[in-house]
Amino acid sequence: MLGRTLREVSAALKQGQITPTELCQKCLSLIKKTKFLNAYITVSEEVALKQAEESEKRYKNGQSLGDLDGIPIAVKDNFSTSGIETTCASNMLKGYIPPYNATVVQKLLDQGALLMGKTNLDEFAMGSGSTDGVFGPVKNPWSYSKQYREKRKQNPHSKNEDSDWLITGGSSGGSAAAVSAFTCYAALGSDTGGSTRNPAAHCGLVGFKPSYGLVSRHGLIPLVNSMDVPGILTRCVDDAAIVLGALAGPDPRDSTTVHDPINKPFMLPSLADVSKLCIGIPKEYLVPELSSEVQSLWSKAADLFESEGAKVIEVSLPHTSYSIVCYHVLCTSEVASNMARFDGLQYGHRCDIDVSTEAMYAATRREGFNDVVRGRILSGNYFLLKENYENYFVKAQKVRRLIANDFVNVFNSGVDVLLTPTTLSEAVPYLEFIKEDNRTRSSQDDIFTQAVNMAGLPAVSIPVALSNQGLPIGLQFIGRAFCDQQLLTVAKWFEKQVEFPVIQLQELMDDCSAVLENEKLASVSLKQ
Amino acid sequence: MAAPMLRWGCRGRRWAFARVDGGSCHRRGAPTGSTSNRIRGQSSVAQQPLHTAQKPRKGEHKWAAVVGLEIHAQISSNSKLFSGSQVRFSAPPNSLVSFFDASLPGTLPVLNRRCVEAAVMTGLALNCHINKKSLFDRKHYFYADLPAGYQITQQRLPIAVNGSLIYGVCAGKKQSQVIPKMVRIKQIQLEQDSGKSLHDDLRSQTLIDLNRAEGQLRVDANISVHHPGEPLGVRTEVKNLNSIRFLAKAIDYEIQRQINELENGGEILNETRSFHQKLGCTMSMRDKEGKQDYRFMPEPNLPPLVLYDATSLPAGADPQQVINIDQIRETLPELPSVTREKLVQQYGMLLEHSFTLLNEVGLLEFFQNVIKETRAEPKKVTSWVLNTFLGYLKQQNLAVSESPVTPSALAELLDLLDSRTISSSAAKQVFKELWKREGKTPGQIVSEKQLELMQDQGALEQLCHSVMEAHPQVVMDVKKGNPRAVNKLIGLVRKATQSRADPVMIKEILEKKMSL
């Protein structure tokens, strides 16, 4: 049951094959077994069980709230949850218990979902590995998969297995690990430069970033307000659409959500024919750092569309190469501003220095933030200084406009969806990842994903195949603004073609035989 | 955070914020000089009439002062500028604080429609250009009463710009003549108020109240002096002036201080100063951190504020979702300058009287109601309303709406006076009675107290005769040519009539009797 998709388990609940409480208990037990993954910062066991109990009553009375009723979900620990500690994986917010729910959390609860816990991340979502949070790094469940282990055995150079675990990617790595290890059926991440899509690719999941303005940010503790979007991590595209259906829509508490009517619910038709589609392949995304395996899968995917009758054309997004530096200026500037409220006065950490208010601020912020956060605050404040504002911030805003216009031009030329890699390569071992600093890693890892955030477009990473090492590789589809449904429809067709294998964790959870019942063939090849 | 303020120049709860940009005044009555760009962040630069500056010594240049005001005015609204928390005067500290007001992580600002409407209306009233698109910015500084570490304001593209306001200045020999002046308004911006810090020096603690509904008006004044024709001087900013009286005092003091400083070879520092109310002087605030860099940046959580007029309103737009400038213009009441002009034209009133009528809430309406119901001359009405009526109100610190005397009662009283049924002094007596709130009409009071003028010539002549007989010495004095003695006799006769006789009539009779 645990290995099923959200839609499948939802059907099972409706048919009474399993009760919400049974499902909840199975997930809780698996959360405990996989504690070493460090996917969760807080497990809200009592809350989840109580919600399961209420859900069970509803099912008994035939008053189910819908597809999400009784479904275990997890939420990244940068979304406010009423009465449940929300830390952003930072000392600054340790012990902070918000008095309100983020709109997206409230919407999930209103649909009857069970909140299993709050998932791990890079401190304040600043990172691309889920390695830089105060609660330690998240381990990628695929490190313990049969697929990966078997490949490792064949490799004579493989080192000590225990220290050789892989990162999940980030910053929503906890949410990705939680879904990937079957501890829940869907998880909320946040996506500012790729933070949902990147770990989704590394953990073999669907990672969806909706159009900016489609889903409320109220209650999401911000990284970059103008780019942040709540993200959705699921095992398949249909599941992402179900969650999106619950979340999308205007929110009076978030003035940047759009009022225009959007097709709801997000039921995805099964596309039989792609011959009317035009798929764009941005030539600037073919970078030297791209691994040959990812490149080869990317071109196979393009071939697949072409062979099925779609028009596949090379397109140009000429300002792509400026995206990283532009993002750096805009991101750090907003970070500097957004982090100003963490002064130790109203909530969160406060140091015990009381010489003066200024000394208290300084020490509190020094103790509360890690080096990454402090570094970004310093850069951002530098860019916002009066003498620098025009040369950095304003210039970066102009470049952002150019980058967004690149997409507009491509979509205006008749392209429906862009197809790109999500990441440069598959997940790397932690020890290798930490050889470079957070800033270098982030700027490398975000190159395919962050331009989308600058333009506010919807994008989704779809797991395609396993690498030679037995690790997942994802590809990204990018759609027109607010054409989220069209994007997911194309992604769903593609997902069906590639038949990505289910992670095999039986060694890890040998007594959880249910995991395997839905196993598909471990086929790595694309149909051609 | 706090209550909403309109800022015409400062920081505040939802404030529309008007920046009045000013010029320098070279000499009284002369046209204003060029706009001062130095006065950033200020709202209004008013001209300081030269009489406040030191009188020039012979052979010396005159000094001219340049003053800019940044006015923070609280918007009258039920909830705050960016949150649904209520605004209520004197609510217990921190009792009206939403999650947004406390800057809890993840909360977002939501613009209050009422505040936008108020800002547009203010802009229209002040002859501003209303920007159909305006933007919000974050202004950063660390202070305990600013929980987000930044304040949301409208730095770059405010809701209204380039306005003007006509006001009156008392001048002339008697300081009673009103001269109309114009001040230019640079901008009006909506701005969130900061909280209130309460310093407990005894325990070296600072307490913060995030209700932020403490004051309705706060002004920062930017002041510099220079010699006309020369570049503008270095300015100082006197912060947090909360009454018109202190504002005037602070400006006068600061101008004099700067002139003295410069004439003694000193220099003026570009600094913020505070006004000490008891000592009546300004003092340097000695800002430790030196010059602040507010690191302005666009507020990413608020889309541009777009306003419409009749020509740009999209068809089928939801009236709840759009703000129509033309619609607000229609609800704008007649502006004071227009009303004053009408009063002067219609009633031949002095300009200064028209100012007084408009400066007191409800007084104009009271005046107009009296005019409507009485036969008395408008000048008479003006005099009674502004002297007697307003005098009583001021003496007892009452608002017009709390007056015990209704417009009808005063109108009736003035009719009695006009018809010479009672004397002017009897009228004052009746007014005093009316003020007691005993529910009597002027007519009733007059008849009860027998205050009608004696119309019976014969009886009055008889009385005069009796008085003359009783005071032969005074009659002698009159005959000797002492003019004051006549008045004494008149007084005695009036006393005998309980002030009911017309003194002019008495005088005539007495003079006839004494054959003067």
Side-chain angles (χ1 to χ4, degrees):
Chain A
M1 195 62 73
L2 289 178
R4 293 190 186 183
T5 67
L6 189 159
R7 204 150 87 135
E8 288 161 351
V9 82
S10 178
L13 281 167
K14 283 171 194 158
Q15 287 158 19
Q17 293 169 18
I18 189 168
T19 69
T21 305
E22 287 165 358
L23 193 59
C24 183
Q25 277 162 345
K26 276 177 195 281
C27 286
L28 285 170
S29 134
L30 204 46
I31 288 172
K32 281 170 196 156
K33 284 196 174 70
T34 59
K35 196 169 187 298
F36 67 94
L37 293 177
N38 208 13
Y40 289 83
I41 291 172
T42 304
V43 180
S44 46
E45 180 167 349
E46 278 179 32
V47 172
L49 284 169
K50 190 156 185 296
Q51 288 164 342
E53 201 180 303
E54 283 162 16
S55 171
E56 198 153 329
K57 274 186 212 153
R58 287 191 294 267
Y59 274 106
K60 272 185 188 149
N61 298 334
Q63 292 170 330
S64 152
L65 296 170
D67 288 342
L68 290 175
D69 203 345
I71 303 288
I73 51 128
V75 172
K76 190 176 179 178
D77 206 24
N78 59 352
F79 287 94
S80 280
T81 43
S82 181
I84 300 172
E85 189 179 5
T86 299
T87 67
C88 287
S90 174
N91 270 329
M92 189 55 94
L93 283 179
K94 265 189 188 170
Y96 167 64
I97 298 176
Y100 74 102
N101 278 325
T103 298
V104 285
V105 171
Q106 190 61 49
K107 283 187 168 187
L108 289 175
L109 298 180
D110 289 346
Q111 298 278 311
L114 319 179
L115 178 59
M116 308 310 290
K118 305 294 294 291
T119 58
N120 205 346
L121 65 156
D122 291 298
E123 184 163 331
F124 282 101
M126 297 182 203
S128 61
S130 302
T131 52
D132 285 333
V134 73
F135 300 101
V138 185
K139 297 178 178 179
N140 192 327
W142 284 84
S143 318
Y144 310 96
S145 69
K146 188 174 162 194
Q147 292 103 321
Y148 178 62
R149 297 253 161 162
E150 278 178 358
K151 296 282 181 185
R152 299 288 289 172
K153 276 181 206 154
Q154 293 161 18
N155 183 349
H157 303 294
S158 71
K159 300 165 219 159
N160 179 0
E161 277 178 7
D162 288 340
S163 65
D164 228 10
W165 54 271
L166 309 156
I167 61 147
T168 52
S171 63
S172 313
S175 287
V179 178
S180 176
F182 304 119
T183 65
C184 60
Y185 290 87
L188 292 184
S190 61
D191 195 314
T192 310
S195 278
T196 293
R197 290 159 287 160
N198 175 292
H202 287 329
C203 295
L205 298 173
V206 171
F208 176 56
K209 174 218 170 288
S211 296
Y212 185 88
L214 183 59
V215 178
S216 169
R217 294 180 292 113
H218 172 250
L220 166 60
I221 299 176
L223 174 58
V224 185
N225 300 280
S226 64
M227 300 187 206
D228 291 341
V229 180
I232 299 165
L233 291 131
T234 54
R235 288 179 208 139
C236 70
V237 177
D238 270 331
D239 289 359
I242 290 170
V243 177
L244 179 63
L247 303 184
D251 179 5
R253 292 187 177 88
D254 177 359
S255 305
T256 63
T257 51
V258 295
H259 282 265
D260 299 327
I262 305 264
N263 285 337
K264 274 189 86 173
F266 288 83
M267 292 302 289
L268 302 180
S270 289
L271 207 57
D273 177 18
V274 292
S275 66
K276 288 195 177 65
L277 274 184
C278 179
I279 308 288
I281 310 289
K283 64 177 182 189
E284 289 80 7
Y285 281 49
L286 183 57
V287 294
E289 299 85 0
L290 185 63
S291 80
S292 58
E293 269 189 299
V294 176
Q295 189 188 333
S296 143
L297 282 168
W298 183 21
S299 79
K300 275 184 189 170
D303 292 346
L304 169 67
F305 276 100
E306 200 161 48
S307 68
E308 294 292 322
K311 187 175 162 193
V312 179
I313 58 169
E314 185 186 86
V315 297
S316 174
L317 300 168
H319 298 94
T320 301
S321 61
Y322 305 110
S323 164
I324 297 288
V325 63
C326 170
Y327 178 86
H328 179 71
V329 173
L330 296 177
C331 170
T332 56
S333 299
E334 281 198 38
V335 163
S337 175
N338 288 333
M339 296 296 146
R341 71 187 56 208
F342 300 104
D343 57 12
L345 278 181
Q346 338 270 323
Y347 42 76
H349 177 72
R350 186 195 292 189
C351 78
D352 45 21
I353 290 177
D354 59 359
V355 184
S356 71
T357 313
E358 286 74 20
M360 190 277 286
Y361 285 155
T364 294
R365 288 164 68 80
R366 195 182 143 47
E367 291 167 11
F369 294 136
N370 71 4
D371 289 348
V372 176
V373 179
R374 287 209 306 278
R376 290 199 194 183
I377 291 172
L378 284 174
S379 319
N381 277 325
Y382 176 81
F383 297 137
L384 288 178
L385 286 177
K386 205 166 148 192
E387 73 227 53
N388 296 332
Y389 185 75
E390 284 289 323
N391 282 338
Y392 291 93
F393 190 84
V394 172
K395 232 172 229 176
Q397 277 188 313
K398 288 177 180 169
V399 174
R400 178 179 183 174
R401 172 70 64 188
L402 292 173
I403 291 169
N405 284 347
D406 281 355
F407 286 104
V408 171
N409 293 338
V410 164
F411 287 122
N412 282 346
S413 74
V415 169
D416 295 304
V417 170
L418 294 168
L419 172 62
T420 79
T422 308
T423 55
L424 289 166
S425 68
E426 75 270 75
V428 297
Y430 175 72
L431 292 175
E432 193 179 315
F433 185 81
I434 58 170
K435 281 179 189 160
E436 304 222 56
D437 66 21
N438 176 294
R439 193 159 75 89
T440 313
R441 294 294 331 191
S442 296
S443 60
Q444 285 170 358
D445 294 339
D446 286 349
I447 62 167
F448 301 127
T449 48
Q450 87 189 176
V452 166
N453 295 77
M454 301 233 210
L457 305 175
V460 63
S461 178
I462 302 294
V464 181
L466 296 184
S467 68
N468 290 333
Q469 286 201 81
L471 292 175
I473 287 174
L475 290 176
Q476 174 179 240
F477 293 95
I478 303 168
R480 291 191 180 95
F482 299 104
C483 293
D484 300 57
Q485 191 179 21
Q486 183 197 28
L487 173 74
L488 290 177
T489 304
V490 174
K492 181 178 169 181
W493 177 87
F494 181 72
E495 172 188 57
K496 197 177 167 203
Q497 310 301 311
V498 299
E499 292 190 342
F500 180 77
V502 167
I503 183 171
Q504 294 176 24
L505 288 175
Q506 67 270 51
E507 286 176 34
L508 180 65
M509 303 162 283
D510 43 13
D511 53 349
C512 289
S513 53
V515 172
L516 301 171
E517 74 188 43
N518 200 41
E519 187 189 342
K520 288 177 192 158
L521 273 179
S523 152
V524 183
S525 61
L526 282 161
K527 269 190 191 166
Q528 287 190 39
Chain B
M1 325 228 152
M5 300 291 274
L6 269 173
R7 167 163 168 171
W8 327 6
C10 232
R11 108 180 35 143
R13 29 208 118 187
R14 30 176 129 119
W15 323 57
F17 161 114
R19 243 176 215 197
V20 190
D21 205 8
S24 57
C25 177
H26 291 184
R27 69 178 60 87
R28 199 182 307 165
T32 56
S34 61
T35 298
S36 158
N37 297 327
R38 298 174 308 115
I39 313 183
R40 288 189 77 238
Q42 308 321 80
S43 72
S44 58
V45 176
Q47 302 157 16
Q48 185 62 23
L50 200 67
H51 67 261
T52 57
Q54 202 174 49
K55 277 181 189 155
R57 290 176 208 148
K58 267 184 189 167
E60 275 188 358
H61 286 307
K62 287 178 178 177
W63 288 103
V66 180
V67 179
L69 302 181
E70 194 171 302
I71 302 164
H72 307 225
Q74 185 180 342
I75 297 172
S76 164
S77 66
N78 297 326
S79 59
K80 296 179 185 179
L81 179 56
F82 294 123
S83 83
S85 309
Q86 283 191 320
V87 179
R88 208 170 60 231
F89 186 68
S90 76
N94 295 312
S95 61
L96 304 173
V97 180
S98 72
F99 300 149
F100 173 80
D101 300 331
S103 296
L104 292 195
T107 53
L108 301 169
V110 177
L111 186 58
N112 181 331
R113 181 192 176 91
R114 157 76 192 132
C115 296
V116 176
E117 290 170 344
V120 170
M121 194 176 265
T122 308
L124 292 172
L126 294 174
N127 296 309
C128 289
H129 169 76
I130 307 293
N131 282 323
K132 296 238 184 86
K133 179 183 160 189
S134 60
L135 304 172
F136 291 93
D137 303 288
R138 290 181 179 180
K139 175 182 180 178
H140 299 86
Y141 59 96
F142 280 106
Y143 202 74
D145 60 19
L146 187 71
Y150 58 80
Q151 178 185 35
I152 304 177
T153 181
Q154 292 198 297
Q155 156 86 355
R156 292 165 300 161
L157 191 52
I159 190 160
V161 293
N162 296 336
S164 63
L165 172 69
I166 309 279
Y167 63 103
V169 171
C170 291
K173 278 178 194 144
K174 288 192 285 181
Q175 286 288 303
S176 62
Q177 195 189 349
V178 171
I179 297 172
K181 291 245 177 195
M182 189 186 80
V183 65
R184 285 171 293 164
I185 292 164
K186 190 175 170 200
Q187 66 187 68
I188 298 180
Q189 61 198 64
L190 282 162
E191 187 173 279
Q192 181 185 30
D193 195 10
S194 60
K196 182 164 64 171
S197 296
L198 304 158
H199 301 288
D200 179 351
D201 291 334
L202 223 61
R203 280 172 226 165
S204 77
Q205 276 184 336
T206 298
L207 306 171
I208 308 294
D209 180 6
L210 294 179
N211 282 0
R212 305 176 184 193
E214 78 274 24
Q216 292 171 335
L217 185 79
R218 207 162 74 235
V219 182
D220 300 339
N222 286 268
I223 300 149
S224 71
V225 298
H226 71 136
H227 294 302
E230 291 178 10
L232 296 171
V234 175
R235 75 188 160 92
T236 60
E237 182 176 13
V238 185
K239 298 199 79 99
N240 292 329
L241 297 158
N242 56 15
S243 83
I244 304 284
R245 206 160 63 92
F246 290 141
L247 172 64
K249 277 190 173 181
I251 292 171
D252 284 348
Y253 177 88
E254 186 58 17
I255 290 171
Q256 200 54 58
R257 184 190 73 82
Q258 291 189 10
I259 291 172
N260 292 346
E261 190 72 39
L262 291 170
E263 288 190 341
N264 293 326
E267 60 170 343
I268 303 300
L269 301 175
N270 180 209
E271 62 180 359
T272 53
R273 300 177 71 85
S274 61
F275 181 67
H276 195 292
Q277 299 182 354
K278 279 186 192 147
L279 302 179
C281 66
T282 67
M283 295 171 169
S284 175
M285 287 172 83
R286 287 184 239 285
D287 190 348
K288 274 182 272 181
E289 304 187 16
K291 228 180 158 192
Q292 285 263 20
D293 188 325
Y294 291 117
R295 291 161 285 128
F296 283 101
M297 71 163 226
E299 167 55 64
N301 295 318
L302 288 169
L305 171 57
V306 178
L307 306 173
Y308 298 90
D309 59 17
T311 56
S312 65
L313 195 68
D318 177 359
Q320 286 306 306
Q321 292 294 325
V322 295
I323 287 178
N324 185 338
I325 300 168
D326 291 328
Q327 218 169 13
I328 294 173
R329 198 192 307 273
E330 281 166 23
T331 63
L332 201 64
E334 184 177 88
L335 295 176
S337 57
V338 177
T339 312
R340 284 194 294 262
E341 183 63 24
K342 279 187 184 168
L343 288 171
V344 170
Q345 293 287 328
Q346 206 173 334
Y347 304 123
M349 192 181 285
L350 291 173
L351 188 59
E352 44 266 44
H353 288 165
S354 71
F355 270 98
T356 315
L357 270 183
L358 265 76
N359 284 353
E360 195 70 32
V361 177
L363 193 58
L364 175 66
E365 200 191 347
F366 188 95
F367 169 82
Q368 285 168 331
N369 286 336
V370 176
I371 285 270
K372 249 184 259 166
E373 295 185 35
T374 183
R375 292 187 304 269
E377 289 287 309
K379 277 191 180 164
K380 198 77 170 169
V381 178
T382 307
S383 157
W384 270 79
V385 168
L386 292 186
N387 298 325
T388 315
F389 178 67
L390 192 56
Y392 269 76
L393 285 178
K394 294 275 177 209
Q395 200 186 355
Q396 303 192 19
N397 207 13
L398 293 176
V400 175
S401 60
E402 296 166 321
S403 158
V405 177
T406 62
S408 305
L410 182 55
E412 190 189 333
L413 175 58
L414 292 179
D415 277 349
L416 292 172
L417 186 61
D418 188 61
S419 61
R420 297 179 65 85
T421 308
I422 53 173
S423 68
S424 157
S425 61
K428 296 255 158 69
Q429 209 181 328
V430 174
F431 190 87
K432 196 174 168 188
E433 289 298 316
L434 283 173
W435 204 263
K436 289 181 184 163
R437 243 185 253 271
E438 284 168 350
K440 291 174 191 155
T441 66
Q444 285 168 335
I445 295 170
V446 166
S447 69
E448 272 177 27
K449 302 243 163 196
Q450 298 185 321
L451 294 172
E452 300 95 339
L453 280 178
M454 280 180 70
Q455 305 289 355
D456 186 338
Q457 179 90 14
L460 195 57
E461 280 184 17
Q462 188 60 51
L463 255 177
C464 287
H465 186 74
S466 310
V467 167
M468 283 170 69
E469 285 204 327
H471 300 87
Q473 187 58 45
V474 183
V475 175
M476 281 303 286
D477 287 347
V478 176
K479 289 190 171 160
K480 278 180 192 161
N482 183 347
R484 278 197 207 150
V486 181
N487 291 342
K488 184 159 187 190
L489 281 177
I490 296 173
L492 288 165
V493 176
R494 289 193 70 208
K495 203 173 171 190
T497 65
Q498 289 166 312
S499 297
R500 288 159 57 211
D502 182 352
V504 179
M505 240 166 106
I506 298 171
K507 197 176 178 196
E508 277 169 15
I509 294 171
L510 286 173
E511 282 170 352
K512 203 169 77 189
K513 279 190 185 293
M514 288 182 286
S515 325
L516 290 172

